[in-house]
Amino acid sequence: MAGETMTAADYIKHHLQSLTSLSDVAQGQGLKNIADFSFINLDAIFFAVLLGVLGSFLLWRGAKKATAGVPGRFQAAVEILFEFVDNMCKSIIHNEQSRKAIAPLGLTLFVWIFLMNAMDMLPVDLLPWLWQNATGNHHALLRIVPTADLNTTLALAIGVLLICIYYNIKIKGVRGWIHELFSAPFGAKLAPANFLLNLVEFLSKTVSHGMRLFGNMYAGELVFLLIALLGGAWATSGSVEVLDPILFGFHILAGLAWAIFHILVITLQAFIFMALAFVYIGQAHDAH
């Protein structure tokens, strides 16, 4: 992007495209024969895995450093978060044996999604600029917010769906769950309608679960890009390179205000995803 004239539309489009191929990187480094993964968003996978490892390390460190005495700040924060998630899990899922696996799952989901959402707090051009300079290609793509990618959020939602199916079978048995699919909620006489309705329910819950997180994070990312454009006088010159002092001032104020508000958004979205996961898994324990 640097050193080139770019319209506002080009700027936004560039930032909303994912890295799906290493061929551009290879060209910048003078390399050839690099594999093309055009069907995979490599940046989303990279940052999701990296933040998953980071989140696991933080929770492991909190558990390892736990003491019976007066806890430090980090241990106290982890304990408060653990107790909050555990109490929520107890209020929704009443099977004690199931909670031994579901409560840690909810804690993992919350921390992982919060960290992925928090990538939106970094300056929108910082990591892409570093990536472009590292690869030597000013057209290299990089999206750093995994949850602003629909593939990531739907994958998480599908994971929750598979867990729901597992507990449906574990609690009710294969025959019991199949019977429920065909008999609830209108009785066995309307088996085809019941089966279709239950399939629609599973599908709609999964899609809405992933779309809710994606929509909020995608919108937040887009707002940050629009605020970034306030730093350039693109409205009159068609370029994001020429700075205008007034727009730059609005850029700083608007960016600060939205960043403060967005802290609440990224936390709330992680909490909602975790809470809905508890609700859906809890429904798998209920008989109709």
Side-chain angles (χ1 to χ4, degrees), residues 1 3 13 16 19 21 27 39 56 81 109 128-130 134 139 152 174 185 203 219 225 246 252 260 267 284:
M1 293 184 299
K13 181 180 178 180
L16 295 181
L19 173 65
S21 173
Q27 292 175 9
F39 56 95
S56 299
L81 179 60
L109 279 175
W129 177 79
L130 293 174
H139 296 283
T152 303
V174 176
L203 179 62
L225 291 174
I246 297 177
I252 296 297
I260 294 173
T267 307

Side-chain angles (χ1 to χ4, degrees), residues 14 31 49 85 93 105 168 201 244:
H14 181 88
L31 302 176
V49 171
V85 173
I93 299 171
L105 171 67
N168 268 298
E201 180 184 356
D244 180 271

Side-chain angles (χ1 to χ4, degrees), residues 50-100:
L50 177 65
L51 294 170
V53 172
L54 176 61
S56 299
F57 172 75
L58 292 175
L59 293 176
W60 170 80
R61 185 171 180 271
K64 185 178 181 181
K65 296 292 184 180
T67 59
V70 178
R73 293 181 180 179
F74 179 72
Q75 180 183 336
V78 173
E79 289 179 355
I80 291 172
L81 179 60
F82 175 82
E83 291 178 3
F84 172 75
V85 173
D86 189 54
N87 290 334
M88 170 170 284
C89 187
K90 288 179 181 178
S91 67
I92 297 175
I93 299 171
H94 305 295
N95 186 307
E96 183 178 356
Q97 189 65 28
S98 296
R99 288 201 303 267
K100 292 180 180 180

Side-chain angles (χ1 to χ4, degrees), residues 157-262:
I158 291 172
V160 173
L161 172 65
L162 294 177
I163 294 173
C164 290
I165 294 175
Y166 167 77
Y167 277 104
N168 268 298
I169 296 174
K170 181 181 180 181
I171 299 298
K172 305 163 188 174
V174 176
R175 294 182 62 182
W177 183 49
I178 293 177
H179 178 267
E180 182 179 273
L181 287 176
F182 285 93
S183 62
F186 301 122
K189 292 183 179 180
L190 294 175
N194 291 329
F195 181 68
L196 180 61
L197 186 62
N198 282 306
L199 286 183
V200 171
E201 180 184 356
F202 276 111
L203 179 62
S204 61
K205 287 193 298 187
T206 301
V207 172
S208 64
H209 200 192
M211 287 291 293
R212 180 182 290 104
L213 177 59
F214 161 73
N216 282 276
M217 297 314 302
Y218 184 87
E221 184 181 32
L222 188 59
V223 170
F224 273 121
L225 291 174
L226 293 174
I227 291 173
L229 286 172
L230 288 175
W234 54 270
T236 55
S237 67
S239 170
V240 297
E241 302 291 340
V242 182
L243 294 181
D244 180 271
I246 297 177
L247 289 179
F248 185 75
F250 279 119
H251 157 73
I252 296 297
L253 294 176
L256 178 61
W258 180 248
I260 294 173
F261 173 74
H262 207 57

Side-chain angles (χ1 to χ4, degrees), residues 4 15 20 24 62 67 76-77 80 90 93 97 125 133 139 144 147 149-150 154 160 163 192 215 233 243 264 266:
E4 297 182 8
H15 274 280
T20 58
D24 290 340
T67 59
I80 291 172
K90 288 179 181 178
I93 299 171
Q97 189 65 28
D125 286 311
N133 281 275
H139 296 283
I144 65 172
T147 45
D149 185 339
L150 184 58
L154 283 182
V160 173
I163 294 173
L243 294 181
L264 175 63
I266 63 177

